[in-house]
Amino acid sequence: MTSRVRGVIARSKGEPVEVTTVLVPDPGPGEALVAVQACGVCHTDLHYREGGIGDDYPYLLGHEAAGVVEAVGDGVTSVAPGDFVILNWRAVCGECRACRRGRPWYCFATHNAQQKMTLEDGTVLSPALGIGAFVDKTLVAAGQCTKVDPAVPPEVAGLLGCGVMAGLGAAINTAPVTRGDSVAVIGCGGVGDAAILGARLAGARTIIGVDIDPRKLEWAKQFGATHTINSRETDPVERIQELTGGNGADVVIEAIGRPETYLQAFYGRDLAGTVVLVGVPTPDMRLEAPLLDFFGRGGALKSSWYGDCLPERDFPMLTDLYLQGRLPLDKFVSETIALDQVEPAFAKMERGEVLRSVVKL
Ligand code: APR
Ligand code: ZN
Ligand code: ZN
């Protein structure tokens, strides 16, 4: 029987989001119906609303979520009703060229639900990142559900579904930071602070947080930054070099997605080190720099897609570390809000007042 639930949609470009009735089909083969318990508000949700990702309105927003499996379709064995799960947008296919080469974290054909959620008049909804989780119940591919320890509060667990995993993974998977490295993180929002946490977890010796907002730099220290730089006041490249014996950091993680901060990352990195771009640029952005520097400074320039995570491998490991008190993921939850508070949460996010607002259902 189709479920009739409340969900947050972006009906058209630039318009405020609204809570409306969403019809969710019962799970078919390979699908799972999940009762959402918590879902974080991410920049990507706002980008959908603003038309920055596509034009397939209406969008069902929300994608950083955790909840309980309510029902599964035929052939689903990986999860069962009652399981506490984090939703992910990397349900690996096992068959694409990346999967066949043993690099499933790059999977190019990730799975989503086949059936569509709709409005009451039958209008098909486009779920954000193939999930759509600002809704009481959502329909996903079973592979989008990763079972974790139910002792983790849902508002904390859900964060691993997107931004926090992106930052943690940029440090521990993409770079990867190893014990004794010096690391700088440019941009200390939710993603950058997660990168700081990841660098600490991996055993970095020096962790330098760079931002233009003093409040963000204070938070960065709470996540493990050993030094901070206000790059409005101080040249970040020179200061990173000073803090690393004149050399630059072994790893610099750019968590904003802008050309000028990417160049700070590039020049703030030691020769033959690693730059990781986890911030997402916009289509109009261009990079200009002497090509010779890219040769002469050697090393690796990487991009991190979703922290190069493998949900099945990384989510249970990270939630276990949280439960052991070794990964303070709860510090990312700035506030919990109701389903009808997504629009004000976007405004707080834009003003930089929160790391994450999390909708509790
Ligand atoms: N120099 C230094 N810091 C800056 C600059 C700048 N020129 N511009 C912005 N910042 C800082 C902001 O002050 C903020 O602390 O970058 C941080 C960005 O954080 P958030 O806006 O909270 O964004 P976050 O959720 O962390 O995501 C960062 O990663 O996944 C992507 O789409 C996401 O591109 C975005 C990036
Ligand atoms: Zn694949
Ligand atoms: Zn996201």
Side-chain angles (χ1 to χ4, degrees):
M1 217 184 59
T2 300
S3 307
R4 239 185 160 70
V5 297
R6 298 169 308 151
V8 176
I9 66 160
R11 200 177 282 276
S12 54
K13 186 170 172 165
E15 290 302 310
V17 299
E18 56 186 280
V19 179
T20 190
T21 301
V22 173
L23 305 187
V24 187
D26 276 350
E31 293 174 342
L33 180 69
V34 176
V36 179
Q37 294 179 313
C39 182
V41 178
C42 173
H43 284 268
T44 304
D45 296 305
L46 182 57
H47 292 162
Y48 274 110
R49 194 201 73 175
E50 290 179 339
I53 298 184
D55 202 24
D56 300 319
Y57 293 95
Y59 286 103
L60 176 61
L61 301 181
H63 59 275
E64 279 189 5
V68 174
V69 175
E70 199 163 285
V72 297
D74 284 348
V76 173
T77 55
S78 54
V79 286
D83 283 350
F84 178 60
V85 296
I86 299 175
L87 300 183
N88 75 73
W89 40 276
R90 179 169 287 148
V92 299
C93 77
E95 291 165 1
C96 72
R97 60 195 191 283
C99 286
R100 284 185 190 279
R101 294 180 77 197
R103 300 170 179 177
W105 51 90
Y106 296 139
C107 180
F108 300 124
T110 55
H111 289 164
N112 294 322
Q114 296 289 314
Q115 298 182 88
K116 302 295 180 194
M117 294 181 272
T118 67
L119 297 178
E120 283 190 292
D121 65 4
T123 305
V124 169
L125 291 166
S126 306
L129 292 174
I131 294 181
F134 290 142
V135 62
D136 295 307
K137 294 178 190 182
T138 186
L139 184 73
V140 294
Q144 290 182 286
C145 300
T146 310
K147 198 174 160 176
V148 297
D149 192 326
V152 184
E155 61 272 29
V156 172
L159 299 181
L160 290 173
C162 186
V164 169
M165 185 67 245
L168 281 168
I172 66 176
N173 292 333
T174 311
V177 174
T178 53
R179 189 172 60 244
D181 279 347
S182 54
V183 177
V185 176
I186 304 190
C188 300
V191 174
D193 283 343
I196 287 172
L197 210 48
R200 189 175 74 169
L201 188 67
R205 151 189 196 196
T206 307
I207 305 174
I208 304 163
V210 181
D211 205 293
I212 49 178
D213 178 348
R215 186 175 40 177
K216 296 297 176 67
L217 294 173
E218 275 313 305
W219 294 349
K221 283 185 200 156
Q222 292 172 22
F223 283 101
T226 57
H227 305 81
T228 57
I229 302 172
N230 183 331
S231 54
R232 223 197 271 288
E233 296 168 353
T234 307
D235 180 336
V237 173
E238 280 177 18
R239 185 71 185 131
I240 290 170
Q241 287 168 343
E242 272 172 31
L243 291 168
T244 52
N247 301 316
D250 297 311
V251 174
V252 186
I253 298 172
E254 203 277 12
I256 305 166
R258 299 192 58 82
E260 63 274 23
T261 45
Y262 187 83
L263 288 177
Q264 290 167 4
F266 180 64
Y267 288 108
R269 187 208 64 177
D270 196 2
L271 294 175
T274 302
V275 173
V276 177
L277 177 64
V278 64
V280 184
T282 56
D284 55 299
M285 292 175 175
R286 295 288 179 275
L287 195 64
E288 196 168 318
L291 187 56
L292 180 60
D293 286 356
F294 288 89
F295 176 78
R297 303 181 58 78
L301 306 174
K302 296 181 171 182
S303 304
S304 185
W305 298 337
Y306 197 0
D308 289 339
C309 75
L310 262 187
E312 278 179 85
R313 178 193 64 192
D314 295 338
F315 293 180
M317 180 261 294
L318 294 167
T319 46
D320 281 355
L321 292 178
Y322 166 76
L323 290 172
Q324 292 166 17
R326 294 161 68 192
L327 198 65
L329 296 173
D330 44 336
K331 284 192 189 153
F332 289 101
V333 183
S334 308
E335 59 169 4
T336 54
I337 57 172
L339 192 61
D340 60 1
Q341 296 299 301
V342 171
E343 193 58 41
F346 281 153
K348 286 182 206 165
M349 185 172 78
E350 285 197 298
R351 291 195 299 265
E353 294 169 8
V354 290
L355 286 176
R356 274 298 185 269
S357 302
V358 181
V359 172
K360 279 200 85 172
L361 291 136

